[in-house]
Amino acid sequence: MTLFSNGFVTLQMPEDFEAVATKDEFNDMYLVNTKIPMSIKFSTTPTLVGLPEIMEDIEKNLKNNDRIDLVTSDFLAINDDIYYMIVSSFSDGEKEIRRNEFLYVEDNNLYIFEYTYPYADRELDDFYLNVIRSLKIIVPKYIVENGSYRLNKEESQ
């Protein structure tokens, strides 16, 4: 088992996935598996709102986008935490792409798991949940105060 760690969180990385470097400030981990093919993106962003407000904004944005179909949107208990899960699909004209997102808020930090793959019927619930259940938050990545945020300097070494 390979663990991802950035000093703020640790996650179990699934077998046969390779890390891809990104320059996005909020993207903590981006993995691809060309055999399946699938990508996993894990991000952390500062937030001042909770999951109900996030759900409302996402659903509103999706309703205004004709190219994306909302498959399901609901709250889900994982471990002892409540996550917002949203499943959507879109077509690039040749194949259908499915995206499953799981969002969690703690200490003004929004943790986002995004799984993208090019088929709609694959049963991957255990796969998603095993990665999500492995999340261990060491310290919040961002400190949110006075309407702004900063990187938490107390990261674990």
Side-chain angles (χ1 to χ4, degrees):
M1 169 177 60
T2 305
L3 282 181
F4 163 81
S5 181
N6 64 0
F8 302 105
V9 300
T10 61
L11 279 172
Q12 180 180 328
M13 292 174 43
E15 291 182 31
D16 299 325
F17 278 79
E18 296 178 26
V20 176
T22 67
K23 295 182 189 235
D24 180 358
E25 171 189 1
F26 302 116
N27 187 356
D28 295 306
M29 178 182 76
Y30 187 73
L31 305 173
V32 296
N33 182 331
T34 56
K35 295 174 190 169
I36 297 178
M38 174 189 269
S39 67
I40 301 172
K41 180 179 174 183
F42 174 73
S43 306
T44 308
T45 65
T47 185
L48 289 173
V49 299
L51 289 179
E53 294 90 348
I54 291 167
M55 177 178 147
E56 188 177 307
D57 283 348
I58 289 174
E59 288 183 356
K60 185 172 83 175
N61 288 336
L62 287 179
K63 286 178 183 163
N64 293 331
N65 189 331
D66 296 339
R67 297 177 40 165
I68 300 176
D69 294 321
L70 176 61
V71 177
T72 187
S73 170
D74 205 352
F75 294 103
L76 174 72
I78 302 175
N79 296 338
D80 293 329
D81 302 313
I82 300 297
Y83 280 73
Y84 167 54
M85 177 188 75
I86 182 162
V87 179
S88 59
S89 66
F90 56 95
S91 175
D92 66 2
E94 293 181 21
K95 54 187 160 190
E96 185 175 335
I97 307 295
R98 181 88 164 229
R99 182 172 50 212
N100 293 28
E101 297 174 84
F102 299 84
L103 296 84
Y104 172 68
V105 174
E106 183 176 306
D107 295 326
N108 295 330
N109 282 245
L110 171 62
Y111 301 93
I112 306 167
F113 293 88
E114 181 181 311
Y115 303 87
T116 307
Y117 53 100
Y119 35 80
D121 299 325
R122 182 122 173 166
E123 287 298 323
L124 294 167
D125 290 349
D126 285 338
F127 177 82
Y128 303 140
L129 294 177
N130 287 339
V131 175
I132 294 167
R133 285 183 183 123
S134 76
L135 174 66
K136 301 285 184 262
I137 300 169
I138 301 165
V139 295
K141 183 175 180 180
Y142 297 104
I143 304 295
V144 181
E145 56 192 7
N146 302 324
S148 65
Y149 70 92
R150 61 182 165 79
L151 194 61
N152 188 350
K153 299 294 184 201
E154 297 178 31
E155 74 176 278
S156 172
Q157 299 303 324

